[in-house]
Amino acid sequence: MNAQFKRGIIELCVLSVLVEKDMYGYLIINQLSGFVDVNENTIYPILRRLTKEDYFETYLEESNEGAPRKYYKMTEKGFTYYLQLREEWDVFIGGVYQVINQGGKKNEEIFRRFKKRISQTETD
Amino acid sequence: MKKYLEDLRKELVKQKLTEKEIDEIMADHEEMINTGIDEGLTEDEIKEKFGQPSQLAKELAEDEDQEPAEQEDNDGFELLNSFDVDSATISVNVNLLSEDITYQIGSDSKIKVFYKGNGKVEKYDVSYEKNNFKLLAPKRSGYTFSTRNANGFDFLVELPKNIIIDVLKHVTLSSDSTLLNLEVQQLDINTTSGDLEIDNCKIDKFILHSVSGDAACEDSTFEDVVLSQVSGDFVMEKCTINGDFKGHTVSGDVELKDVSCDNFEMSAVSGDVEGENFYPKKVIFKSISGDLNIKNKEKRYIEIVKKSTLSGDINIS
């Protein structure tokens, strides 16, 4: 997949995870990599950049295991940005689905028509 | 795990990141990897989860490169466009997403548009035709996800001196807007979460629609004000309204200090109205739980025409 495009999607995923609750880095990575094929070296740079752009704040909190963990917290600016990105995504993916579902949603149906067309061109 | 961190440090040094950056990134990774180990991940699983250090360092370095340019531009605005104006009245039409904007009066008879920030500023539609000035954010066609350059701009619009603006229409999602020293016949502002500031302006009809943006007006005169807000707050100080103030608010508060007007007609759900030295001639107030409090020094007659609230209080003293 195009790297820039993937980054954008991961950015929206990171925002969506943090809109729900504050989380520390490892947990964010675990959450995302459980659903999407992506690893730390893609997520961390995004997390860091969004923090620098004041979409997230960070704070330290003690953990049961010992060393304190750095938690990421969404700011109001981050939330506005999330809404905007989310809307862009919905518009985009809505358009994509309209295009790919033009022939209907059933694969058998699409395949049947495709086969018919192929055999037509062959007999022509 | 030690190997991963060592490799990462080497790669970060190779990418010429600053020492401070490297220390921060290393601290974050030590924390994350330690958490992984605490959860029982093996060396291989960590490698798999964290990926290549070289790739990580490269992406981080790319992001760092973006920054210096941004900081350079922060110092001042650059001129984007300028138009000669020979008419005494113009109209202004602005549509933005999240770019902050200031409108002010210049020293000559030109409209000048300044900007600062990174990205493709030429994609903005900036024009002046038939006494109509336009500044429009690029239409979002398709989906680009080019988040780095998205909405990275601030604008400063200088309008000609001695000009009357017949209509200033301003639509925005989250831009903060400032209007300074303008004379406008009709000001029409529509904002979702952007804040608005009006200072020393003369405005005939002022219409404000705001969802969560706050608005502050100071040292200005108005003929009529129409306000519609959801959760944004509205503050007006040292202003004269020659006509009526009509407003509707859901949970946003309205604060009026040293303000006078003819009819004050307000409906609120839970928003409160606080007046201090606020002298309307007539008050029409409706609310569910919002209060209306007016505290005045001078005793002037305020006629209360209609008031209906469920649980809100009305105090005029």
Side-chain angles (χ1 to χ4, degrees), chain B residues 21 59 64 74 77 101 106-107 131 154 175 223 242 244:
Chain B
E21 295 280 349
E59 290 208 17
E64 300 311 320
N74 274 349
F77 283 94
I101 185 167
S107 54
N131 304 329
D154 290 342
S175 311
E223 287 304 316
N242 294 316
D244 302 339

Side-chain angles (χ1 to χ4, degrees), chain A residues 7-8 11 26 29-30 39-41 44-45 48-49 52 65 69-70 81 84 88-89 92, chain B residues 21 24-25 28-29 31-32 35 38-39 41 49-50 52 59 64 67 140 143 145 147 151:
Chain A
R7 256 207 296 252
E11 189 171 308
Y26 182 80
I29 288 152
N30 248 4
N39 51 28
E40 197 268 351
N41 64 16
Y44 179 77
R48 188 170 170 80
R49 181 160 48 80
K52 278 195 179 164
E65 279 82 14
R69 282 173 185 152
K70 185 161 152 187
Y81 182 61
Q84 193 188 325
E88 280 182 30
W89 171 255
F92 175 75
Chain B
E21 295 280 349
E24 278 177 30
I25 294 165
D28 285 350
H29 279 80
E31 182 208 301
M32 287 188 287
T35 314
D38 287 341
E39 299 207 343
L41 291 195
K49 197 178 268 291
F50 282 77
Q52 288 295 327
E59 290 208 17
E64 300 311 320
E67 268 167 52
R140 282 182 292 167
Y143 192 73
F145 263 127
T147 51
N151 314 311

Side-chain angles (χ1 to χ4, degrees), chain B residues 185-281:
Chain B
Q185 285 171 344
Q186 179 168 337
L187 176 63
D188 202 335
I189 307 252
N190 203 320
T191 168
T192 305
S193 64
D195 296 337
L196 170 71
E197 198 184 315
I198 295 178
D199 200 354
N200 192 28
C201 291
K202 189 179 172 300
I203 293 160
D204 289 351
K205 189 163 184 83
F206 175 31
I207 304 168
L208 171 63
H209 290 270
S210 158
V211 177
S212 64
D214 297 333
C217 309
E218 212 180 325
D219 296 315
S220 298
T221 58
F222 301 87
E223 287 304 316
D224 287 300
V225 177
V226 178
L227 165 69
S228 157
Q229 65 183 13
V230 178
S231 65
D233 296 334
F234 182 87
V235 177
M236 192 177 252
E237 212 171 314
K238 292 183 210 130
C239 289
T240 308
I241 303 169
N242 294 316
D244 302 339
F245 186 126
K246 269 187 202 167
H248 178 83
T249 174
V250 177
S251 64
D253 297 333
V254 176
E255 201 182 310
L256 304 154
K257 201 174 166 188
D258 301 309
V259 174
S260 64
C261 70
D262 265 355
N263 293 338
F264 177 67
E265 190 178 336
M266 194 77 200
S267 73
V269 176
S270 64
D272 297 329
V273 179
E274 295 283 336
E276 193 183 328
N277 296 324
F278 170 50
Y279 300 102
K281 285 182 185 145

Side-chain angles (χ1 to χ4, degrees), chain B residues 89-257:
Chain B
T89 59
I90 57 167
S91 53
V92 175
N93 194 343
V94 173
N95 198 325
L96 296 174
L97 294 170
S98 64
E99 308 83 342
D100 291 346
I101 185 167
T102 302
Y103 301 91
Q104 63 184 40
I105 295 295
S107 54
D108 49 26
S109 59
K110 284 187 172 133
I111 298 174
K112 289 182 190 156
V113 183
F114 300 87
Y115 77 101
K116 65 179 176 187
N118 287 320
K120 290 187 173 156
V121 76
E122 62 274 9
K123 286 202 169 171
Y124 284 81
D125 180 2
V126 186
S127 66
Y128 179 68
E129 261 170 25
K130 295 177 189 153
N131 304 329
N132 189 0
F133 168 71
K134 274 197 293 193
L135 169 58
L136 311 175
K139 286 231 168 62
R140 282 182 292 167
S141 61
Y143 192 73
T144 55
F145 263 127
S146 59
T147 51
R148 289 180 191 202
N149 297 332
N151 314 311
F153 293 105
D154 290 342
F155 287 103
L156 174 70
V157 176
E158 245 181 47
L159 297 160
K161 61 175 181 178
N162 304 327
I163 195 96
I164 293 175
I165 301 156
D166 60 2
V167 180
L168 194 160
K169 194 167 161 51
H170 173 101
V171 179
T172 167
L173 201 61
S174 63
S175 311
D176 292 340
S177 320
T178 310
L179 278 73
L180 302 171
N181 314 321
L182 300 187
E183 203 171 324
V184 185
Q185 285 171 344
Q186 179 168 337
L187 176 63
D188 202 335
I189 307 252
N190 203 320
T191 168
T192 305
S193 64
D195 296 337
L196 170 71
E197 198 184 315
I198 295 178
D199 200 354
N200 192 28
C201 291
K202 189 179 172 300
I203 293 160
D204 289 351
K205 189 163 184 83
F206 175 31
I207 304 168
L208 171 63
H209 290 270
S210 158
V211 177
S212 64
D214 297 333
C217 309
E218 212 180 325
D219 296 315
S220 298
T221 58
F222 301 87
E223 287 304 316
D224 287 300
V225 177
V226 178
L227 165 69
S228 157
Q229 65 183 13
V230 178
S231 65
D233 296 334
F234 182 87
V235 177
M236 192 177 252
E237 212 171 314
K238 292 183 210 130
C239 289
T240 308
I241 303 169
N242 294 316
D244 302 339
F245 186 126
K246 269 187 202 167
H248 178 83
T249 174
V250 177
S251 64
D253 297 333
V254 176
E255 201 182 310
L256 304 154
K257 201 174 166 188

